[in-house]
Protein backbone atom coordinates (compact mmCIF):
# COMPACT_ATOMS: atom_id res chain seq x y z
CA UNK A 1 0.00 0.00 0.00
CA UNK A 2 1.39 3.38 -1.04
CA UNK A 3 2.49 5.90 1.56
CA UNK A 4 0.57 9.13 1.08
CA UNK A 5 1.05 12.07 3.45
CA UNK A 6 -1.91 14.43 3.55
CA UNK A 7 -2.64 17.84 5.01
CA UNK A 8 -6.06 19.44 5.46
CA UNK A 9 -6.37 23.19 5.12
CA UNK A 10 -6.98 24.34 8.68
CA UNK A 11 -8.75 27.72 8.80
CA UNK A 12 -8.50 27.81 12.59
CA UNK A 13 -4.72 28.28 12.60
CA UNK A 14 -3.49 30.90 10.15
CA UNK A 15 -0.39 30.02 8.15
CA UNK A 16 1.33 32.63 5.98
CA UNK A 17 1.78 30.62 2.79
CA UNK A 18 4.21 33.14 1.29
CA UNK A 19 6.37 32.90 4.39
CA UNK A 20 6.15 29.11 4.28
CA UNK A 21 7.51 29.04 0.72
CA UNK A 22 10.01 31.83 1.51
CA UNK A 23 8.78 34.07 -1.32
CA UNK A 24 7.34 37.57 -1.47
CA UNK A 25 3.67 38.31 -2.13
CA UNK A 26 4.64 39.59 -5.56
CA UNK A 27 6.39 36.31 -6.51
CA UNK A 28 5.64 34.96 -9.97
CA UNK A 29 4.11 31.52 -10.55
CA UNK A 30 7.51 30.26 -11.70
CA UNK A 31 9.22 31.58 -8.57
CA UNK A 32 6.62 29.86 -6.40
CA UNK A 33 7.10 26.59 -8.26
CA UNK A 34 10.89 26.74 -7.93
CA UNK A 35 10.70 27.61 -4.23
CA UNK A 36 8.33 24.74 -3.55
CA UNK A 37 10.51 22.21 -5.42
CA UNK A 38 13.64 23.35 -3.56
CA UNK A 39 12.08 23.22 -0.09
CA UNK A 40 10.12 20.02 -0.76
CA UNK A 41 13.36 18.20 -1.55
CA UNK A 42 14.95 19.60 1.61
CA UNK A 43 12.13 18.54 3.94
CA UNK A 44 10.90 15.41 2.16
CA UNK A 45 10.29 12.51 4.61
CA UNK A 46 12.59 10.26 2.59
CA UNK A 47 15.43 12.71 3.22
CA UNK A 48 14.52 13.17 6.89
CA UNK A 49 13.43 9.81 8.31
CA UNK A 50 11.75 9.95 11.74
CA UNK A 51 12.04 13.74 11.79
CA UNK A 52 8.63 15.03 12.94
CA UNK A 53 9.54 18.68 12.44
CA UNK A 54 10.64 18.05 8.83
CA UNK A 55 7.44 16.10 8.26
CA UNK A 56 5.35 19.00 9.59
CA UNK A 57 7.26 21.46 7.42
CA UNK A 58 6.80 19.26 4.35
CA UNK A 59 3.04 19.14 4.91
CA UNK A 60 2.89 22.92 5.29
CA UNK A 61 4.81 23.31 2.03
CA UNK A 62 2.29 21.10 0.23
CA UNK A 63 -0.59 23.11 1.65
CA UNK A 64 0.99 26.43 0.69
CA UNK A 65 1.79 25.24 -2.81
CA UNK A 66 -1.73 23.87 -3.28
CA UNK A 67 -3.14 27.36 -2.71
CA UNK A 68 -0.52 29.65 -4.27
CA UNK A 69 0.05 27.56 -7.41
CA UNK A 70 -3.65 27.93 -8.30
CA UNK A 71 -4.40 31.41 -9.66
CA UNK A 72 -8.01 31.43 -8.45
CA UNK A 73 -7.15 30.17 -4.97
CA UNK A 74 -4.22 32.57 -4.69
CA UNK A 75 -6.46 35.52 -5.52
CA UNK A 76 -8.92 34.45 -2.82
CA UNK A 77 -6.10 33.97 -0.32
CA UNK A 78 -4.68 37.42 -1.08
CA UNK A 79 -8.14 38.93 -0.56
CA UNK A 80 -9.48 37.00 2.43
CA UNK A 81 -6.34 35.65 4.13
CA UNK A 82 -6.99 32.76 6.48
CA UNK A 83 -10.71 32.79 5.61
CA UNK A 84 -10.11 32.48 1.86
CA UNK A 85 -12.18 29.31 1.49
CA UNK A 86 -15.41 30.89 2.82
CA UNK A 87 -14.74 34.56 2.11
CA UNK A 88 -17.18 34.70 -0.80
CA UNK A 89 -19.92 33.16 1.30
CA UNK A 90 -19.37 35.89 3.88
CA UNK A 91 -19.62 38.59 1.22
CA UNK A 92 -22.89 37.11 -0.04
CA UNK A 93 -24.26 37.20 3.51
CA UNK A 94 -23.23 40.83 3.79
CA UNK A 95 -25.05 41.65 0.55
CA UNK A 96 -28.20 39.86 1.69
CA UNK A 97 -28.18 41.66 5.03
CA UNK A 98 -27.62 44.97 3.28
CA UNK A 99 -30.71 44.33 1.17
CA UNK A 100 -32.68 43.55 4.33
CA UNK A 101 -31.50 46.79 5.92
CA UNK A 102 -32.75 48.75 2.94
CA UNK A 103 -36.07 46.96 3.11
CA UNK A 104 -36.47 47.63 6.86
CA UNK A 105 -34.76 50.96 7.64
CA UNK A 106 -33.78 51.43 11.24
CA UNK A 107 -34.08 47.78 12.09
CA UNK A 108 -30.80 46.62 10.69
CA UNK A 109 -27.20 46.65 11.81
CA UNK A 110 -23.76 47.09 10.28
CA UNK A 111 -20.40 45.42 10.58
CA UNK A 112 -18.97 48.47 12.33
CA UNK A 113 -22.01 49.20 14.46
CA UNK A 114 -23.55 45.86 15.48
CA UNK A 115 -26.48 47.30 17.37
CA UNK A 116 -27.16 45.06 20.33
CA UNK A 117 -24.39 42.59 19.58
CA UNK A 118 -26.01 41.06 16.49
CA UNK A 119 -23.51 42.28 13.95
CA UNK A 120 -21.67 40.83 11.00
CA UNK A 121 -18.61 40.45 13.16
CA UNK A 122 -20.50 37.81 15.15
CA UNK A 123 -21.64 36.12 11.99
CA UNK A 124 -18.11 36.07 10.69
CA UNK A 125 -16.83 34.52 13.92
CA UNK A 126 -19.61 31.95 13.83
CA UNK A 127 -18.92 30.94 10.27
CA UNK A 128 -15.21 30.52 10.90
CA UNK A 129 -15.24 28.87 14.29
CA UNK A 130 -16.04 31.63 16.79
CA UNK A 131 -18.90 31.76 19.29
CA UNK A 132 -21.22 34.33 17.75
CA UNK A 133 -24.64 35.67 18.60
CA UNK A 134 -27.72 36.87 16.73
CA UNK A 135 -27.55 35.99 13.05
CA UNK A 136 -24.57 33.67 13.51
CA UNK A 137 -25.86 31.93 16.60
CA UNK A 138 -27.33 28.99 14.71
CA UNK A 139 -24.15 28.05 12.84
CA UNK A 140 -24.35 24.49 14.10
CA UNK A 141 -27.99 24.14 13.15
CA UNK A 142 -27.89 25.27 9.55
CA UNK A 143 -28.79 28.99 9.61
CA UNK A 144 -25.46 29.62 7.92
CA UNK A 145 -26.05 26.92 5.35
CA UNK A 146 -24.11 23.83 4.45
CA UNK A 147 -20.41 24.15 3.77
CA UNK A 148 -18.14 21.85 1.88
CA UNK A 149 -15.44 20.14 3.94
CA UNK A 150 -11.79 21.09 3.63
CA UNK A 151 -9.89 19.85 0.64
CA UNK A 152 -6.79 17.76 1.30
CA UNK A 153 -3.57 17.83 -0.72
CA UNK A 154 -0.96 15.09 -0.91
CA UNK A 155 2.11 14.15 -2.95
CA UNK A 156 2.75 10.72 -4.40
CA UNK A 157 6.31 9.75 -5.33
CA UNK A 158 6.73 7.57 -8.42
CA UNK A 159 9.73 6.10 -10.20
CA UNK A 160 9.93 6.82 -13.93
CA UNK A 161 9.33 3.14 -14.70
CA UNK A 162 6.20 3.20 -12.51
CA UNK A 163 4.83 6.29 -14.22
CA UNK A 164 5.36 4.59 -17.60
CA UNK A 165 2.87 1.83 -16.78
CA UNK A 166 -0.83 1.87 -15.95
CA UNK A 167 -1.05 0.54 -12.41
CA UNK A 168 -3.06 0.72 -9.22
CA UNK A 169 -2.14 2.36 -5.93
CA UNK A 170 -3.94 1.89 -2.62
CA UNK A 171 -3.92 4.58 0.06
CA UNK A 172 -5.15 4.87 3.62
CA UNK A 173 -7.11 8.13 3.80
CA UNK A 174 -8.78 9.04 7.10
CA UNK A 175 -8.92 5.38 8.05
CA UNK A 176 -10.39 4.29 4.74
CA UNK A 177 -8.60 2.39 1.98
CA UNK A 178 -8.81 4.17 -1.36
CA UNK A 179 -7.67 2.49 -4.57
CA UNK A 180 -6.98 4.45 -7.74
CA UNK A 181 -5.69 3.54 -11.17
CA UNK A 182 -2.84 5.72 -12.42
CA UNK A 183 -2.75 5.79 -16.24
CA UNK A 184 0.60 5.41 -17.96
CA UNK A 185 2.25 8.68 -18.90
CA UNK A 186 1.66 10.71 -15.74
CA UNK A 187 3.60 13.99 -15.72
CA UNK A 188 5.79 15.31 -12.91
CA UNK A 189 3.73 17.84 -10.93
CA UNK A 190 0.44 16.65 -12.45
CA UNK A 191 -2.55 16.73 -10.10
CA UNK A 192 -5.64 14.55 -9.97
CA UNK A 193 -8.77 15.07 -7.89
CA UNK A 194 -10.59 12.41 -5.90
CA UNK A 195 -14.00 13.90 -5.28
CA UNK A 196 -15.38 13.49 -1.76
CA UNK A 197 -12.21 12.03 -0.22
CA UNK A 198 -11.29 15.17 1.74
CA UNK A 199 -12.49 16.22 5.17
CA UNK A 200 -16.17 15.91 6.23
CA UNK A 201 -18.55 18.73 5.35
CA UNK A 202 -19.99 21.24 7.81
CA UNK A 203 -23.67 21.19 8.76
CA UNK A 204 -24.25 18.21 6.50
CA UNK A 205 -22.43 19.74 3.56
CA UNK A 206 -20.46 17.62 1.05
CA UNK A 207 -17.04 16.25 1.87
CA UNK A 208 -13.99 18.04 0.60
CA UNK A 209 -11.86 16.64 -2.21
CA UNK A 210 -8.45 14.99 -2.23
CA UNK A 211 -5.86 16.43 -4.62
CA UNK A 212 -2.87 14.20 -5.38
CA UNK A 213 0.27 15.64 -7.00
CA UNK A 214 2.66 13.27 -8.72
CA UNK A 215 6.38 13.65 -8.16
CA UNK A 216 8.40 11.56 -10.59
CA UNK A 217 11.99 10.92 -9.56
CA UNK A 218 14.88 11.35 -11.97
CA UNK A 219 15.98 8.10 -13.57
CA UNK A 220 19.55 6.85 -13.78
CA UNK A 221 19.29 5.71 -17.41
CA UNK A 222 16.66 7.93 -19.02
CA UNK A 223 16.10 11.67 -19.06
CA UNK A 224 12.52 12.66 -19.74
CA UNK A 225 11.79 15.40 -22.25
CA UNK A 226 8.01 15.76 -22.35
CA UNK A 227 6.81 12.51 -23.92
CA UNK A 228 10.28 11.76 -25.30
CA UNK A 229 13.17 10.04 -23.56
CA UNK A 230 16.90 10.58 -23.96
CA UNK A 231 19.67 8.14 -23.15
CA UNK A 232 23.27 7.38 -24.13
CA UNK A 233 24.93 4.19 -25.32
CA UNK A 234 28.59 3.22 -25.42
CA UNK A 235 30.01 1.77 -28.63
CA UNK A 236 33.59 0.72 -29.23
CA UNK A 237 35.85 2.41 -31.75
CA UNK A 238 35.77 -0.53 -34.13
CA UNK A 239 31.98 -0.53 -34.35
CA UNK A 240 31.96 3.23 -34.82
CA UNK A 241 34.47 2.96 -37.69
CA UNK A 242 33.27 -0.23 -39.38
CA UNK A 243 29.62 -0.30 -38.36
CA UNK A 244 27.82 -3.16 -36.66
CA UNK A 245 25.14 -3.93 -34.06
CA UNK A 246 24.67 -2.72 -30.50
CA UNK A 247 22.04 -3.39 -27.86
CA UNK A 248 20.02 -0.44 -26.58
CA UNK A 249 17.93 -0.45 -23.40
CA UNK A 250 14.38 0.92 -23.66
CA UNK A 251 11.55 1.03 -21.12
CA UNK A 252 10.24 -2.16 -22.70
CA UNK A 253 13.56 -4.01 -22.70
CA UNK A 254 16.62 -4.38 -24.90
CA UNK A 255 16.51 -3.83 -28.68
CA UNK A 256 19.22 -4.35 -31.30
CA UNK A 257 20.24 -1.28 -33.27
CA UNK A 258 22.43 -1.07 -36.36
CA UNK A 259 25.34 1.36 -36.18
CA UNK A 260 26.33 2.97 -39.47
CA UNK A 261 30.01 2.86 -40.49
CA UNK A 262 31.84 6.08 -39.69
CA UNK A 263 29.58 7.02 -36.78
CA UNK A 264 30.97 10.02 -34.93
CA UNK A 265 31.11 10.44 -31.16
CA UNK A 266 27.98 12.27 -29.96
CA UNK A 267 25.81 11.13 -32.87
CA UNK A 268 22.14 10.93 -31.87
CA UNK A 269 19.64 8.54 -33.44
CA UNK A 270 15.87 8.35 -32.92
CA UNK A 271 13.86 5.25 -32.08
CA UNK A 272 10.29 6.17 -33.00
CA UNK A 273 7.62 5.18 -30.49
CA UNK A 274 10.11 3.93 -27.89
CA UNK A 275 9.84 6.94 -25.60
CA UNK A 276 7.38 7.71 -22.79
CA UNK A 277 3.72 6.66 -23.10
CA UNK A 278 1.19 9.40 -23.86
CA UNK A 279 -1.19 10.05 -20.98
CA UNK A 280 -4.52 8.25 -21.48
CA UNK A 281 -3.62 7.40 -25.09
CA UNK A 282 -3.14 3.66 -25.07
CA UNK A 283 -0.57 2.35 -27.52
CA UNK A 284 0.93 5.79 -28.24
CA UNK A 285 4.33 6.96 -27.03
CA UNK A 286 6.98 9.55 -27.69
CA UNK A 287 10.39 8.77 -29.18
CA UNK A 288 13.65 7.58 -27.65
CA UNK A 289 16.77 9.56 -28.59
CA UNK A 290 20.03 7.64 -28.22
CA UNK A 291 23.37 9.47 -28.19
CA UNK A 292 26.43 7.34 -29.00
CA UNK A 293 29.52 7.65 -26.84
CA UNK A 294 32.53 6.21 -28.69
CA UNK A 295 34.93 4.54 -26.27
CA UNK A 296 38.59 4.94 -27.19
CA UNK A 297 40.62 1.75 -26.58
CA UNK A 298 43.29 1.84 -23.88
CA UNK A 299 46.23 -0.43 -22.97
CA UNK A 300 47.06 -1.14 -26.61
CA UNK A 301 49.82 -3.60 -27.42
CA UNK A 302 52.79 -2.49 -29.48
CA UNK A 303 51.40 -4.36 -32.48
CA UNK A 304 48.05 -2.59 -32.17
CA UNK A 305 49.74 0.79 -31.84
CA UNK A 306 51.75 0.04 -34.98
CA UNK A 307 48.54 -0.67 -36.87
CA UNK A 308 47.12 2.68 -35.82
CA UNK A 309 50.32 4.38 -36.92
CA UNK A 310 50.02 2.72 -40.30
CA UNK A 311 46.45 4.02 -40.59
CA UNK A 312 47.62 7.47 -39.60
CA UNK A 313 50.33 7.50 -42.26
CA UNK A 314 48.22 6.02 -45.04
Amino acid sequence: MANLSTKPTDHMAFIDYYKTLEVSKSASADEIKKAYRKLARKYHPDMNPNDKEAERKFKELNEANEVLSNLENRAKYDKYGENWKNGEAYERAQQQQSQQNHAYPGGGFSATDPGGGEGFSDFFQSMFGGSGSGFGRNSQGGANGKFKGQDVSAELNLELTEAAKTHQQTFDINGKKVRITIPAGAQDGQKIKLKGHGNPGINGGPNGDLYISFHIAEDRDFKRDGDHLRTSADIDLYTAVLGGDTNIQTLEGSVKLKVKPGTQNGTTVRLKGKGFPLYKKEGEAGDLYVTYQVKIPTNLTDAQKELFQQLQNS
Side-chain angles (χ1 to χ4, degrees), residues 199-274:
N199 284 351
I202 301 172
N203 293 338
N207 291 348
D209 302 322
L210 170 63
Y211 291 87
I212 299 178
S213 300
F214 297 130
H215 174 65
I216 301 174
E218 293 185 2
D219 189 81
R220 181 184 63 182
D221 299 318
F222 300 101
K223 180 177 177 59
R224 188 171 178 182
D225 182 8
D227 293 318
H228 304 307
L229 292 176
R230 298 185 181 276
T231 189
S232 61
D234 294 339
I235 58 174
D236 58 51
L237 179 63
Y238 315 108
T239 302
V241 173
L242 303 174
D245 296 331
T246 187
N247 290 323
I248 302 296
Q249 287 296 323
T250 73
L251 287 176
E252 300 173 345
S254 179
V255 298
K256 185 176 289 186
L257 193 63
K258 286 194 172 295
V259 180
K260 295 181 179 179
T263 294
Q264 300 295 311
N265 182 56
T267 297
T268 298
V269 296
R270 182 183 72 157
L271 279 66
K272 186 173 178 60
K274 293 296 183 181

Side-chain angles (χ1 to χ4, degrees), residues 31-98:
E31 288 173 333
I32 289 174
K33 181 178 180 180
K34 289 180 179 178
Y36 168 70
R37 290 284 180 84
K38 176 183 176 181
L39 293 171
R41 291 192 192 99
K42 179 179 179 181
Y43 292 104
H44 197 282
D46 290 346
M47 303 296 292
N48 302 274
N50 302 319
D51 188 335
K52 295 297 182 182
E53 181 62 22
E55 181 180 352
R56 181 192 64 79
K57 182 68 174 178
F58 182 71
K59 290 179 180 179
E60 289 184 358
L61 289 168
N62 280 333
E63 178 181 338
N65 182 63
E66 178 68 28
V67 175
L68 298 186
S69 64
N70 182 294
L71 292 179
E72 182 179 353
N73 288 345
R74 182 179 180 182
K76 291 179 181 178
Y77 177 77
D78 288 343
K79 185 174 182 180
Y80 301 113
E82 62 182 307
N83 301 309
W84 69 273
K85 275 187 172 292
N86 294 319
E88 290 178 343
Y90 171 60
E91 281 197 350
R92 287 196 298 269
Q94 279 186 311
Q95 293 171 0
Q96 291 173 1
Q97 187 60 42
S98 177

Side-chain angles (χ1 to χ4, degrees), residues 111-175:
T112 56
D113 184 16
E118 296 184 308
F120 276 99
S121 58
D122 289 333
F123 170 72
F124 197 90
Q125 291 173 0
S126 170
M127 178 182 290
F128 301 120
S131 56
S133 59
F135 185 66
R137 183 176 292 156
N138 296 321
S139 63
Q140 301 301 320
N144 295 335
K146 299 178 179 180
F147 290 95
K148 179 182 176 183
Q150 295 171 316
D151 292 338
V152 176
S153 62
E155 184 174 273
L156 174 62
N157 294 312
L158 296 173
E159 298 295 332
L160 183 71
T161 51
E162 289 181 307
K165 298 178 181 178
T166 298
H167 67 287
Q168 290 187 332
Q169 293 270 8
T170 302
F171 312 107
D172 192 345
I173 305 293
N174 294 330

